[in-house]
Amino acid sequence: MDTPRFPNVTTLIVAAAMIVLPFVVPATLASQIAIFATAALSVTLLLGGAGLLSFGQGLYLGIGAYASGLLLRDAGFALLPTLLVATAGTAAVAAVLGAVMVRRQGIYFVMLTLAFAQMGYFAMLAAKDVTGGENGLSGLPRRFDLFGATIASPLSFYVLSAGVFGLAFLAVQRLLASPFGSVLTAIRENEGRSEAMGYNVRLYKIAVIAVAGGIAGLAGSLHAVFLGFVPPTDVDLEVGQRMLVMSIIGGVGSPGGALVGSAFYTLVSEALSELWARWMALIALVLIALVLFLPGGLWSAGRHLTGLLRRRDADG
Amino acid sequence: MQLFLFQVLNGLGIGMIYFLLSVGLTLIFGLMRFVNFAHGAFYLVAAYLAFAIVGLTGSMVLALVIAPLAVAILAVATERLLLRHTYRMPHEAQILITFAIALLIQEVVIMQFGPLGQNVPVPQALSGVVFLGPFVYPAYRLAVVAVAAVVAVVLWIVVEKTKLGAVLRAGSESAEMVALLGINVDRVFMATFALGGALAGLAGVLAAPLRGVEPFMSAEALGIAFVVVVVGGLGTLSGALVGGLLIGLVQSIMSTLWPQGAHLMIYAAMALVILARPTGLLGRT
C-alpha cells in the first residue's frame, strides 16, 4: 500500500509518464492506455482500497458508455456535461446496486457482481430499440468543443483522456490518503473489527462502490467519445474481466498500478496482435505467475527494485 | 399446452446436462471452499476432445471414456502444479489464478482448433426420435438424461454410502479435523479435483453433439454452473440437481415466451437467491 500521503512520489511518476507517453507511442494508443487506466483504477480502488473483488465493473463502464452515447447523439449534450452526467449517473446506479450487494461478503459478493454484470449485458440486448443491441450505438459526433479548444485530432483526444485519467487518479489518491481511506483499509484488513469499533461498514462499502462505479462510468463515457461509437462489448462480462486483469497485473496496492497494468496490457496486445493472435495466452501466464510469486503486481516489482538499490547504497 | 409440456421435457433434458456441469464445481467448493473459475474450461476441453475423437474414430463411446479421463488428469495436474499453492492464500487469489488458467486453456484450445465453432455429429444409433405418448423426442437427448440420471444415483451412493463419501462430507465440515483423524486430506483434495474434472468432462462430451463446440462455450458454461450451484445451494449434491433442473426448465420455457429475457431471468434469479437465501434453495442454514 502507498504510504497514505498525497501528493507523493507516485503522483510525480504517474504525471511524468502521462507527459512522456504520447511521445513514445502513437496518440491513439496512448488514449486507449489512459482510458483503460481510468477503468482499471475503478477495480484498484475497490480491491486494493476496500478488499472488494468485482468481476462486474464492466457493467458501470457500459452504463457510462451507453448513457454518454445517448446524451451526445439524442439529447444534444456537449462534451463536458456528458462526462459529468455519465459519471454521476453511473455512480448513482452503483450506489443503488452497492446497497444491495454489501449485504453479502466474500464469494457471494463476487457472485453478485457477476450476476448484475450479466443482467446488464442481457438487458442491453433485450432493449435493442434503445441500445442498438448487437450493433451497438453509432452516429456519435466526432469533434467536440471543450473550454474553447477543439477536440478532433488524435493528440487532442489524448490530452482529454490523459486529463480525465489524471483527475480520477488524483481523486483516488486523495481519497485513499483521507480518513475515509483509512477506514477502508481497516475494513479490508479486518471487517469484523472495524464493525466492532463502531464504523458503519456497509455504508463505507456502498460509498466506495459508488465512487468506483462513477470512475468506471467516466472511463466508459470517455471510451464512447473516443470511439465515436458504443460497441456492445463495452457492457460485456469480458470488459469487466479485462479491467480486473489490468489492475491485477499493475498491482492493486497503489493507484499507479492501474496505469502500469493498462499500459502493459494495451502494449502487449498491440505489439503481439499482428505477430501472434493468441497473445492472451501470454497475459494469462503473466497473471498466473503474479498470483503465485508477486501478488503486488508489476508496480510492487518497481518498489522491490528501488528497495534493493537503496539497500545496496546503504551497504556501499 | 402441448408446446408447453414439450418445453418442460426439453428443459429437463437441458437441466440434466446443467447438473453434470455444475456438480463438480459444487463438490470442490463443498470440500475445500475453493471456487474453481476453471471449471468451464474443463468442460470446454472435454467437448473439443469429443470433437476430435468422434472426428477420428467416429465413436462417441470412446469419447465418453477418454475425454473425462483426460480432463481428470488435467484437473489433477493443475491442482498439483498450481492450485495447491493457493490454498493458504485469500479467496481472491484462488479466483484469480483459476480465472487465468481458464483463459490460458481457452487460448490453447483456439491454437489447436481455431476460433470458429464446429459441429459434432449425433451418434448414428441415437440419431432417431422416440415417441413418448403424444411427444416426439430426440433419442440422443433421452440418452443424455439417462446417463446423467445414472451418474446422479452413483454420486449419491458414493457421497452417502461409501468411506470416501464420509470423508468428503466430513471434510466439508472441517478439513482440519479430518486431517487430525489421520486421513491424507491432500489426497482427498486431489481425488475431488479429479472427480470434479471428470464430471465437467462428461458434461462437455454429452453437450457437444447438442450444441456443437466453440472456444467461448467455457465462459457461458461457467456462468450457468455458478447460477445452478448458487440457486441450488453451494456445496450440496442435491442442490446441483435441483438447481440444474430448475434453471434448465426456466431457460427452456422462457425461450418460447421471451427469448431475450431467458438469460436475464436466470441471473436475476441467482442474485435474488443470494440475497434472500444465500445457502441456496436446498442448503442448510
Side-chain angles (χ1 to χ4, degrees):
Chain A
M1 202 66 210
D2 257 26
T3 25
R5 258 180 300 154
F6 169 83
N8 60 10
V9 186
T10 307
T11 323
L12 280 177
I13 296 174
V14 167
M18 296 314 287
I19 292 169
V20 174
L21 199 58
F23 295 101
V24 287
V25 300
T28 326
L29 202 59
S31 301
Q32 275 178 39
I33 293 176
I35 292 168
F36 274 95
T38 316
L41 197 58
S42 152
V43 180
T44 306
L45 173 62
L46 272 186
L47 185 55
L52 293 170
L53 175 62
S54 167
F55 266 80
Q57 288 309 99
L59 171 66
Y60 305 116
L61 185 136
I63 292 175
Y66 275 100
S68 306
L70 293 172
L71 288 175
L72 286 169
R73 194 191 64 181
D74 299 342
F77 268 48
L79 178 60
L80 191 60
T82 300
L83 291 173
L84 292 177
V85 171
T87 307
T90 313
V93 174
V96 172
L97 292 182
V100 174
M101 289 195 289
V102 296
R103 297 164 60 89
R104 295 289 170 251
Q105 294 151 339
I107 178 63
Y108 288 102
F109 179 86
V110 179
M111 294 282 177
L112 279 177
T113 64
L114 271 170
F116 282 126
Q118 290 286 60
M119 282 160 73
Y121 178 71
F122 290 110
M124 179 281 289
L125 285 185
K128 65 170 180 294
D129 296 340
V130 183
T131 61
E134 281 173 1
N135 297 321
L137 203 67
S138 48
L140 307 193
R142 295 302 299 133
R143 48 184 302 134
F144 303 92
D145 292 310
L146 188 68
F147 306 128
T150 304
I151 293 175
S153 71
L155 190 62
S156 63
F157 270 113
Y158 174 72
V159 174
L160 172 71
S161 315
V164 167
F165 168 71
L167 287 177
F169 177 82
L170 289 177
V172 167
Q173 256 206 328
R174 180 71 191 84
L175 195 71
L176 290 173
S178 70
F180 178 83
S182 310
V183 179
L184 290 184
T185 310
I187 292 172
R188 186 189 71 214
E189 295 301 324
N190 193 330
E191 190 167 334
R193 194 178 293 173
S194 317
E195 186 96 59
M197 284 176 70
Y199 290 109
N200 189 339
V201 168
R202 284 187 182 181
L203 209 57
Y204 276 90
K205 281 188 182 173
I206 295 170
V208 75
I209 290 170
V211 175
I215 293 172
L218 179 60
S221 181
L222 211 50
H223 200 225
V225 166
F226 168 72
L227 291 177
F229 165 64
V230 182
T233 49
D234 263 10
V235 67
D236 208 333
L237 194 59
E238 198 270 332
V239 80
Q241 291 173 348
R242 195 189 324 162
M243 288 155 74
L244 181 62
V245 168
M246 284 175 174
S247 75
I248 297 291
I249 287 180
V252 295
S254 158
L259 179 60
V260 175
S262 168
F264 181 87
Y265 188 103
T266 312
L267 292 176
V268 164
S269 74
E270 178 69 19
L272 291 185
S273 59
E274 294 283 305
L275 297 171
W276 189 42
R278 307 270 54 90
W279 55 272
M280 200 60 168
L282 182 72
I283 297 276
L285 284 172
V286 169
L287 206 55
I288 293 172
L290 287 179
V291 172
L292 290 177
F293 304 115
L294 195 67
L298 294 179
W299 184 268
S300 73
R303 197 154 269 254
H304 288 309
L305 278 180
T306 51
L308 277 179
L309 289 177
R310 238 176 253 155
R311 213 167 305 147
R312 195 181 295 164
D313 280 354
D315 290 346
Chain B
M1 197 59 206
Q2 285 286 73
L3 181 68
F4 178 75
L5 278 176
F6 183 74
Q7 290 301 339
V8 168
L9 213 57
N10 233 343
L12 291 179
I14 301 173
M16 287 309 267
I17 289 199
Y18 285 177
F19 158 70
L20 283 181
L21 172 65
S22 322
V23 68
L25 189 70
T26 214
L27 281 178
I28 293 170
F29 181 84
L31 180 66
M32 301 146 87
R33 296 283 169 256
F34 190 98
V35 186
N36 182 16
F37 270 61
H39 199 73
F42 292 161
Y43 163 88
L44 169 73
V45 169
Y48 266 94
L49 283 176
F51 165 71
I53 293 170
V54 170
L56 281 176
T57 67
S59 166
M60 191 69 185
V61 177
L62 208 57
L64 274 172
V65 175
I66 295 179
L69 253 176
V71 174
I73 294 170
L74 174 69
V76 169
T78 327
E79 196 266 343
R80 285 291 95 182
L81 289 174
L82 301 170
L83 302 185
R84 82 191 153 100
H85 302 293
T86 66
Y87 290 160
R88 285 168 196 285
M89 294 183 188
H91 267 318
E92 284 74 25
Q94 304 170 353
I95 291 174
L96 289 171
I97 198 166
T98 50
F99 168 71
I101 291 167
L103 211 56
L104 184 62
I105 290 177
Q106 181 180 308
E107 291 301 312
V108 171
V109 164
I110 300 177
M111 281 178 220
Q112 279 303 315
F113 296 96
L116 297 177
Q118 311 269 6
N119 281 320
V120 177
V122 172
Q124 200 79 62
L126 294 170
S127 59
V129 291
V130 177
F131 293 93
L132 295 172
F135 305 113
V136 182
Y137 202 68
Y140 181 74
R141 278 178 185 265
L142 211 59
V144 168
V145 173
V147 171
V150 169
V151 170
V153 172
V154 170
L155 270 180
W156 182 78
I157 293 173
V158 167
V159 171
E160 295 296 327
K161 304 288 174 195
T162 65
K163 181 146 181 282
L164 173 69
V167 172
L168 277 177
R169 278 176 292 136
S172 69
E173 294 288 328
S174 165
E176 205 176 9
M177 189 51 131
V178 172
L180 287 173
L181 289 170
I183 288 162
N184 188 338
V185 176
D186 222 37
R187 288 230 309 262
V188 177
F189 281 5
M190 240 169 74
T192 312
F193 256 96
L195 182 62
L199 287 166
L202 191 58
V205 176
L206 290 175
L210 290 177
R211 67 181 306 292
V213 293
E214 38 102 10
F216 305 102
M217 66 198 276
S218 52
E220 186 199 330
L222 185 67
I224 297 277
F226 279 150
V227 175
V228 166
V229 297
V230 164
V231 167
L234 206 45
T236 64
L237 194 63
S238 49
L241 183 61
V242 172
L245 290 177
L246 203 64
I247 298 302
L249 279 176
V250 168
Q251 232 182 11
S252 175
I253 293 168
M254 287 294 291
S255 69
T256 48
L257 297 178
W258 186 34
Q260 298 95 339
H263 279 95
L264 196 60
M265 282 257 315
I266 64 167
Y267 286 103
M270 175 182 180
L272 266 179
V273 169
I274 296 178
L275 290 167
R277 203 179 149 84
T279 50
L281 297 180
L282 292 183
R284 287 157 293 180
T285 33

